[in-house]
Amino acid sequence: MRKKIFLFGIGCLLLAGLSQKTFAVTIHDNIKLVVEPAALIGRWDITVDVNGKPAPAWLEVKLSGYKTLVGYFVSTAGSARPVSEVKFDNGKFRFEIPPQWESGTSNLIIDGTVDNAGIQGTMTNCDGKQYSWKGIKAPYLKRAIAPVWGKPVNLFNGKDLSGWKASGQNQWIVKNGILTSPKAGSNLITEQKYNDFKLHVEFKYTKGGNSGVYLRGRYEVQIEDSKKDAHPNSVLFGGIYGFLTANEMVTLGPDEWQYYDITLVGRLVTVVANGKTIISNQEIPGITGGALDSNEGEPGPIYLQGDHEPIEYRKIVITPAK
């Protein structure tokens, strides 16, 4: 009798174990595991579908303290903006930021989900229009070895727009060896794309002038008629727009020829303005407003911003890495 009871007990335990195992598999197959906030932490290259056309954006999410998620967001227009809190619940997240250059008075709202494939969701613009978007983890762009530089290449021949294309209807002209955008209009983009490089560019603006040089078509070095006594700011002269601030204001002012010597290796940028190093080997976190795309792992063109005030350029030389 005891033997039968013992065997019956063993059988029950085996059945219980089998049932438990089957139940566990059923849960795994039919119910998503809880997604932790750590899955969202990091930098994300985002592409927004704006009425069928891709537009770049960027997001960085950080942990503040023990449990609060904060971040920075670059929308399809404007500079990087702080995100005071990212609400997160089992793979779903949401945050809001106030308007910057957008039309409308409502906050810009981002709703999204995160999984092994990346992030995706919807963006409700400040005017109430809604767009879908997808994002992937941004690459680190670390270089294992120092670059070996090739031969310098003149991007502007002093005669015409050979090697360049306008982003829309062209307003750029060449006059007396000077490349100029006499009025606001299209941006000017090189036909060739580059990875790591050194870039020398000479420029002149009038009072109130505003332009920029985009590296790989994604990172803007700001050209602006900033006051000489202004406290440096990432959106003023020499800054990497919205991200990196020059360590001093070295502008010569309007109607003066000035120059930048820029070195970009991976994400690390050095900017020498009018002979002074104002940004030294600093990391650019992500794309700046006005970027052509968010494909940070790919080579990209040099482009000159032409949708603001008039600007002149007379020498543009690039030295690509081999």
Side-chain angles (χ1 to χ4, degrees):
M1 185 69 176
R2 289 181 178 177
K3 184 176 181 180
K4 289 182 179 180
I5 292 175
F6 175 77
L7 290 175
F8 177 75
I10 292 294
C12 289
L13 289 172
L14 289 173
L15 287 173
L18 181 61
S19 299
Q20 189 176 33
K21 183 178 180 181
T22 303
F23 181 64
V25 171
T26 302
I27 289 178
H28 180 74
D29 290 344
N30 294 287
I31 300 177
K32 290 184 178 179
L33 299 176
V34 174
V35 179
E36 297 293 336
L40 184 60
I41 293 173
R43 297 170 177 170
W44 301 89
D45 287 338
I46 294 172
T47 300
V48 184
D49 183 348
V50 180
N51 301 322
K53 294 182 179 181
W58 176 88
L59 172 66
E60 181 175 28
V61 177
K62 301 178 180 181
L63 181 64
S64 177
Y66 293 111
K67 60 182 180 180
T68 304
L69 295 179
V70 299
Y72 268 87
F73 183 68
V74 177
S75 187
T76 53
S79 62
R81 285 174 269 181
V83 178
S84 61
E85 184 175 7
V86 180
K87 301 289 187 180
F88 186 94
D89 183 20
N90 192 25
K92 295 181 179 181
F93 63 92
R94 177 186 177 96
F95 63 86
E96 299 184 21
I97 53 177
Q100 190 182 57
W101 302 109
E102 297 89 356
S103 61
T105 57
S106 300
N107 283 352
L108 186 151
I109 303 172
I110 297 292
D111 289 287
T113 59
V114 58
D115 57 29
N116 291 334
I119 59 176
Q120 61 181 328
T122 58
M123 179 175 73
T124 304
N125 220 339
C126 301
D127 58 6
K129 295 179 180 178
Q130 193 172 85
Y131 307 104
S132 62
W133 57 266
K134 291 184 178 181
I136 60 172
K137 271 292 179 72
Y140 286 101
L141 301 182
K142 290 184 177 179
R143 305 300 192 229
I145 58 175
V148 176
W149 301 110
K151 295 181 178 181
V153 178
N154 286 311
L155 294 181
F156 172 50
N157 63 15
K159 300 176 182 178
D160 53 37
L161 298 179
S162 296
W164 297 82
K165 59 184 178 181
S167 60
Q169 185 174 355
N170 179 52
Q171 83 283 356
W172 292 82
I173 60 174
V174 178
K175 186 176 181 180
N176 298 325
I178 304 299
L179 173 63
T180 181
S181 173
K183 61 180 181 180
S186 297
N187 302 317
L188 198 61
I189 306 166
T190 60
E191 295 174 350
Q192 185 70 35
K193 294 183 178 181
Y194 303 94
N195 203 350
D196 296 341
F197 55 81
K198 295 190 291 185
L199 181 69
H200 175 84
V201 55
E202 299 179 10
F203 55 88
K204 182 169 68 173
Y205 50 78
T206 58
K207 185 175 178 58
N210 189 316
S211 183
V213 178
Y214 278 76
L215 316 177
R216 298 194 198 114
R218 302 183 188 106
Y219 316 115
E220 182 189 7
V221 184
Q222 175 75 310
I223 296 175
E224 193 213 45
D225 183 21
S226 303
K227 294 181 179 180
K228 294 181 181 181
D229 61 352
H231 192 86
N233 188 296
S234 64
V235 299
L236 299 182
F237 184 91
I240 306 300
Y241 194 74
F243 279 127
L244 303 180
T245 299
N247 59 25
E248 63 177 305
M249 191 62 67
V250 298
T251 176
L252 302 180
D255 304 316
E256 297 283 348
W257 283 107
Q258 308 185 60
Y259 72 89
Y260 289 152
D261 281 313
I262 304 163
T263 302
L264 181 65
V265 178
R267 291 187 180 278
L268 300 180
V269 65
T270 295
V271 179
V272 177
N274 299 323
K276 292 187 176 182
T277 301
I278 57 173
I279 294 175
S280 180
N281 208 37
Q282 296 296 301
E283 183 192 44
I284 304 176
I287 65 168
T288 62
L292 297 177
D293 60 49
S294 58
N295 305 324
E296 292 191 272
E298 300 178 4
I302 302 300
Y303 101 67
L304 310 177
Q305 191 176 43
D307 59 0
H308 285 56
E309 285 78 9
I311 184 75
E312 293 181 339
Y313 294 92
R314 69 177 179 187
K315 191 174 182 181
I316 308 171
V317 180
I318 193 165
T319 304
K322 290 183 178 179

